[in-house]
Amino acid sequence: MRDRAILVTGGGSGIGRAVVLACAARGARVGVLDIDALSASSVADEALAHGAADALAINCDVSDERAVADAFAACENQLGSPAAVHANAGIEINHPAHLMPYEDWQRVLRINLSGLFLTCREAVRAMLRTGHGGSIVCTSSPSAFTGFSGGGNAAYGSSKGGVSALVRSLAIDYARHGIRVNAVVPGAIDTPMLLTGLAVAEQAAAHDAILRDAREQIPLGRLGRPEEIAAAVTWLLSDDASYVTGSHLVCDGGLTARSANTF
Ligand code: NAD
């Protein structure tokens, strides 16, 4: 990974930030892409402190086609053509379908699925141009495969189901070009996303309740840490995973392996 250009979307927080810092520690040249310019630039600074060969903050909305093309051009100019890309930016908005405003449905699909497609398309174009192949990791979710017991997951689950289908399709299309495409499937990971939509005053109590639920419901008895997902992603991005494509690496403490069905 040393001196390799790596681009991470949603790199300003949570899982993306942990991936940026893990790649930085291996001496990569990291592009930190986020819609939140301040977070992107503070994580880029952290990356340099962690040993990155170079770091570039890129303010970009992954659902904006032009902006994503410009972001890859900026990355290529400063860091070199990205040989590894983590398509990770995402949001979660939950409502039961009959109460779901169409705008919320569209927003989730626009960012989580169409934005991820635009990221992968630019990544593939860049890798085809160099002719050296590369590795793309997309962030999916258990909700691509199982229903959330909490409910209200129609839009998010649909977007992540789409991500998983897209990963398989891209893996097949570009394998002969040396481009590997895989998904990481994080379970419940302790990031700001877990508290999305809650007022600041409610967050501490909600976090305590989530920790309690995690102890009871997740076989490993706790939430995952962003660094634990980053370890899986950096492996998939690296040449150590050279024979892995079209696969899903599930990192969920056993959550999806467990069935609540006792019959
Ligand atoms: P997070 O909220 O900490 O980070 C998400 C980042 O994406 C933020 O920095 C945000 O600004 C950025 N972002 C949002 N919309 C964007 C856009 N349009 N363009 C560019 N950047 C944008 O959340 P996280 O938990 O680190 O989530 C990262 C990914 O992991 C998401 O795709 C999420 O769906 C997935 N995931 C998270 C969990 C979990 O439990 N935390 C579980 C499964 C999957």
Side-chain angles (χ1 to χ4, degrees):
M1 245 180 213
R2 183 153 300 280
D3 275 330
R4 227 178 243 186
I6 293 177
L7 183 66
V8 180
T9 75
S13 174
I15 293 169
R17 171 180 170 273
V19 171
V20 168
L21 298 184
C23 294
R26 289 165 173 75
R29 308 163 69 79
V30 290
V32 187
L33 184 157
D34 207 287
I35 197 167
D36 181 337
L38 225 58
S39 315
S41 108
S42 113
V43 173
D45 288 344
E46 278 188 274
L48 289 171
H50 272 67
D54 198 357
L56 174 67
I58 307 169
N59 182 208
C60 169
D61 176 350
V62 291
S63 68
D64 178 337
E65 182 178 16
R66 182 75 252 159
V68 175
D70 289 348
F72 271 78
C75 177
E76 257 178 274
N77 278 341
Q78 180 168 326
L79 306 175
S81 193
V85 172
H86 183 200
N88 165 76
I91 60 167
E92 184 168 8
I93 305 175
N94 291 324
H95 304 289
H98 71 289
L99 300 175
M100 169 83 70
Y102 186 46
E103 172 50 27
D104 284 355
W105 166 270
Q106 286 181 310
R107 186 150 179 262
V108 172
L109 271 288
R110 201 166 57 235
I111 294 172
N112 292 9
L113 183 55
S114 300
L116 185 134
F117 164 73
L118 292 172
T119 304
C120 290
R121 189 180 69 173
E122 290 308 318
V124 165
R125 284 175 173 170
M127 290 168 189
L128 289 176
R129 270 197 301 275
T130 65
H132 296 135
S135 174
I136 300 171
V137 176
C138 300
T139 306
S140 187
S141 159
S143 65
F145 313 105
T146 63
F148 268 5
S149 56
N153 213 227
Y156 185 79
S158 300
S159 73
K160 294 298 185 178
V163 166
S164 286
L166 180 61
V167 161
R168 285 187 283 268
S169 176
L170 295 177
I172 292 165
D173 286 349
Y174 298 105
R176 295 297 165 101
H177 297 274
I179 300 172
R180 297 183 296 101
V181 187
N182 292 288
V184 67
V185 183
I189 311 304
D190 204 352
T191 74
M193 180 175 275
L194 278 189
L195 302 171
T196 300
L198 293 176
V200 177
E202 299 166 3
Q203 290 185 356
H207 194 250
D208 286 347
I210 290 170
L211 292 180
R212 234 183 357 261
D213 288 351
R215 266 197 297 279
E216 284 164 19
Q217 294 174 22
I218 297 173
L220 284 181
R222 61 173 176 84
L223 295 179
R225 295 186 295 275
E227 295 73 23
E228 293 175 303
I229 306 307
V233 172
T234 47
W235 179 71
L236 286 169
L237 290 176
S238 79
D239 293 343
D240 289 343
S242 53
Y243 199 56
V244 183
T245 197
S247 79
H248 282 68
L249 181 43
V250 178
C251 309
D252 69 350
L255 189 63
T256 49
R258 196 188 93 155
S259 166
N261 188 351
T262 52
F263 298 101

